[in-house]
């Protein structure tokens, strides 16, 4: 139970850091002289390089049992580099963002494999740990908006650094590795080939990609889009608070929903709610609606992410947990982030908020179609046995 408390505290401060900084990074970059297309290019290039590097983290964690070390580096390095976001030079900002992303991109897969093992050991649920990230992001998003209003967007990196350093101190008290992390019995390439050799798993990755690329429109461009249609920075903070806090009940009860409906059906429900939330914003592109629709964020992202992580954990062998989560993260956060940042940045710059929202609605609908195939295949043929891939 002590470890669960530490993990929940770790996730809480990660959420505070990300919520207070991530959603306002675009404002900081605009303040430094970049437009939305340049921001999309910067984030896409940085994420692409991080994807190439990311498999290394899974190998280090799985083969050498260095989960804690990787976790600490994934938080400490971006925290230290945050001070350089004050630069007005595109090349400097690109270099800082790229290096920070190389390290931070491994936070989710490594922390999630750690949290799942810890939760399973004491009979708890991964969602009960992960929800603390949402609580932190909710509070951080609101406080970030208030901070910018009271001070300046140019110093928004300061609370990000402080919150991350607290997370590092907590991580230092964790064991060296998760209890269920076994030494790898095969190479990374062999494990990936087995994972990607299953058509249903590929459809799952495709659906996850199409759904989550729309989250770049929210995570990267929401504040810009919100201000474009007449919203204020302080009101954007309220919207971000609502979006994050609705994740809490969703993630708290996600395991119960999964036990009742199954992982595949829960994934599909989450994807369909994505379609609904973007459809509402297409029909009613107003600040008040953009605030209110964030109530659906918890049901869409919360249910989708928890069921996706548990789905990957179920089909991946014990000695490939961090690697399996890394493959999922490369697609879900990496490739989806690249396409989402480039596409949505271009659409916002050239076609406005409406063009971006329509594209997000269509993309999430296409992702839902692939997940219908995943759900039907799992029920009809039982193609994905527990711990069946990577074994």
């Amino acid at each position: 139970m002590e470890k669960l408390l530490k993990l929940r505290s770790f996730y809480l401060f990660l959420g505070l850091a990300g919520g207070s900084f991530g959603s306002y990074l675009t404002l900081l970059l605009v303040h430094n002289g970049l437009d939305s297309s340049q921001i999309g290019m910067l984030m896409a290039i940085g994420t692409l390089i991080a994807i190439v590097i990311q498999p290394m983290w899974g190998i280090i964690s799985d083969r050498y049992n260095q989960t804690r070390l990787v976790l600490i580096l994934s938080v400490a390095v971006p925290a230290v580099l945050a001070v350089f976001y004050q630069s007005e030079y595109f090349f400097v900002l690109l270099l800082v963002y790229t290096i920070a992303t190389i390290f931070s991109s491994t936070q989710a897969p490594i922390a999630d494999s750690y949290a799942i093992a810890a939760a399973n050991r004491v009979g708890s649920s991964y969602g009960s740990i992960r929800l603390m990230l949402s609580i932190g992001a909710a509070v951080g998003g609101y406080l970030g908006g208030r901070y910018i209003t009271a001070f300046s967007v140019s110093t928004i990196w300061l609370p990000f650094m402080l919150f991350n350093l607290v997370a590092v101190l907590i991580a230092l008290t964790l064991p060296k590795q998760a209890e269920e992390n076994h030494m790898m019995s095969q190479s990374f390439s062999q494990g990936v080939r087995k994972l990607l050799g299953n058509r249903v798993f590929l459809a799952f990755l495709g659906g996850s990609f199409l759904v989550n690329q729309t989250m770049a429109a929210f995570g990267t461009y929401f504040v810009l889009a919100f201000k474009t249609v007449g919203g204020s920075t302080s009101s954007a903070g309220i919207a971000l608070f609502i979006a994050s806090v609705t994740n809490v009940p969703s993630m708290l009860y996600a395991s119960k929903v999964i036990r009742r409906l199954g992982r595949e059906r829960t994934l599909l429900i989450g994807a369909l709610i994505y379609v609904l939330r973007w459809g509402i914003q297409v029909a009613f592109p107003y600040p008040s609606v953009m605030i209110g629709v964030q109530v659906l964020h918890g049901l869409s992202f919360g249910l989708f992410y928890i069921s996706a992580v548990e789905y990957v954990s179920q089909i991946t062998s014990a000695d490939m947990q961090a690697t399996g989560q890394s493959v999922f993260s490369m697609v879900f956060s990496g490739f989806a982030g690249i396409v989402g940042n480039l596409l949505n940045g271009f659409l916002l710059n050239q076609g406005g908020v409406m063009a971006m929202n329509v594209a997000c609605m269509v993309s999430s609908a296409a992702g839902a179609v692939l997940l219908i195939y995943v759900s039907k295949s799992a029920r009809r043929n039982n193609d994905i046995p527990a711990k069946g891939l990577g074994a």
Side-chain angles (χ1 to χ4, degrees):
M1 294 304 294
E2 181 182 354
K3 181 185 289 186
L4 289 185
L5 178 61
K6 291 178 180 178
L7 281 170
R8 285 169 179 150
S9 299
F10 176 77
Y11 271 92
L12 174 65
F13 280 96
L14 277 187
L16 287 169
S20 63
F21 182 73
S23 299
Y24 302 102
L25 176 58
T26 52
L27 285 185
L28 175 59
L29 296 176
V30 168
H31 175 78
N32 291 345
L34 277 62
D35 61 32
S36 59
S37 292
Q38 288 177 308
I39 294 171
M41 183 182 300
L42 178 147
M43 293 184 172
I45 293 173
T47 304
L48 177 60
I49 295 174
I51 287 175
V52 175
I53 300 296
Q54 188 172 347
M56 174 189 70
W57 297 121
I59 295 172
I60 292 174
S61 178
D62 282 333
R63 183 172 293 279
Y64 301 107
N65 284 333
Q66 294 294 332
T67 305
R68 184 180 63 185
L69 174 61
V70 173
L71 204 55
I72 290 172
L73 289 175
S74 74
V75 180
V77 173
V80 172
L81 291 176
V83 65
F84 295 102
Y85 279 110
Q86 298 177 93
S87 175
E88 297 180 357
Y89 297 101
F90 180 83
F91 178 77
V92 173
L93 292 171
L94 174 62
L95 184 63
V96 171
Y97 183 82
T98 298
I99 296 174
T101 304
I102 286 173
F103 284 87
S104 65
S105 63
T106 194
Q107 279 180 16
I110 299 299
D112 288 344
S113 63
Y114 208 122
I116 289 171
N120 290 340
R121 185 175 179 84
V122 298
S124 184
S125 68
Y126 161 71
S128 68
I129 300 174
R130 177 57 174 75
L131 68 84
M132 297 304 296
L133 185 72
S134 298
I135 293 175
V139 176
Y142 175 76
L143 293 179
R146 302 298 298 174
Y147 180 91
I148 291 173
T149 302
F151 299 100
S152 170
V153 70
S154 63
T155 59
I156 193 64
W157 57 270
L158 186 57
F160 172 76
M161 176 185 288
L162 294 176
F163 287 135
N164 269 334
L165 291 179
V166 175
V168 168
L169 293 177
I170 296 172
L172 286 169
T173 67
L174 294 172
K176 183 179 178 180
Q177 73 261 349
E179 292 89 342
E180 295 181 9
N181 232 16
H182 304 287
M183 296 291 285
M184 289 178 68
S185 59
Q186 58 188 311
S187 70
F188 175 81
S189 59
Q190 287 176 324
V192 170
R193 280 199 299 269
K194 287 184 178 180
L195 286 171
L196 300 184
N198 186 282
R199 288 179 298 175
V200 178
F201 184 69
L202 287 176
F204 158 74
L205 289 179
S208 298
F209 167 83
L210 289 168
V211 168
N212 201 56
Q213 77 84 14
T214 71
M215 285 305 295
F218 173 74
T220 303
Y221 300 111
F222 174 78
V223 177
L224 286 180
F226 187 74
K227 295 187 72 173
T228 298
V229 298
S232 65
T233 302
S234 59
S235 295
I238 294 174
L240 293 171
F241 175 83
I242 294 173
S244 295
V245 80
T246 53
N247 270 328
V248 176
S250 176
M251 292 188 173
L252 187 61
Y253 292 102
S255 295
K256 295 182 179 179
V257 176
I258 290 170
R259 282 196 297 269
R260 183 177 180 85
L261 300 179
R263 296 175 179 86
E264 296 83 5
R265 287 183 179 178
T266 306
L267 277 168
L268 178 57
I269 291 172
L272 292 174
I273 299 173
Y274 269 96
V275 180
L276 176 62
R277 67 184 284 190
W278 289 114
I280 291 174
Q281 291 180 91
V282 169
F284 307 100
Y286 311 116
S288 58
V289 175
M290 290 179 71
I291 293 175
V293 80
Q294 302 312 322
V295 172
L296 294 177
H297 179 80
L299 289 174
S300 57
F301 180 78
L303 289 178
F304 193 96
Y305 186 76
I306 293 296
S307 53
V309 170
E310 292 197 5
Y311 178 87
V312 175
S313 178
Q314 177 206 11
I315 66 174
T316 307
S317 60
D319 63 331
M320 291 284 291
Q321 284 294 298
T323 299
Q325 295 296 342
S326 291
V327 171
F328 167 65
S329 182
M330 286 168 65
V331 174
F332 186 75
S333 301
F335 291 121
I338 291 173
V339 173
N341 281 315
L342 285 175
L343 175 63
N344 294 305
F346 173 79
L347 291 173
L348 182 61
N349 193 46
Q350 299 297 319
V353 176
M354 179 61 70
M356 185 179 72
N357 288 343
V358 169
C360 289
M361 180 181 68
V362 172
S363 181
S364 53
V369 170
L370 286 176
L371 293 172
I372 289 174
Y373 167 73
V374 173
S375 180
K376 287 184 175 180
S377 296
R379 294 200 309 271
R380 184 177 63 246
N381 301 321
N382 193 25
D383 286 339
I384 312 292
K387 302 298 178 188
L389 297 180

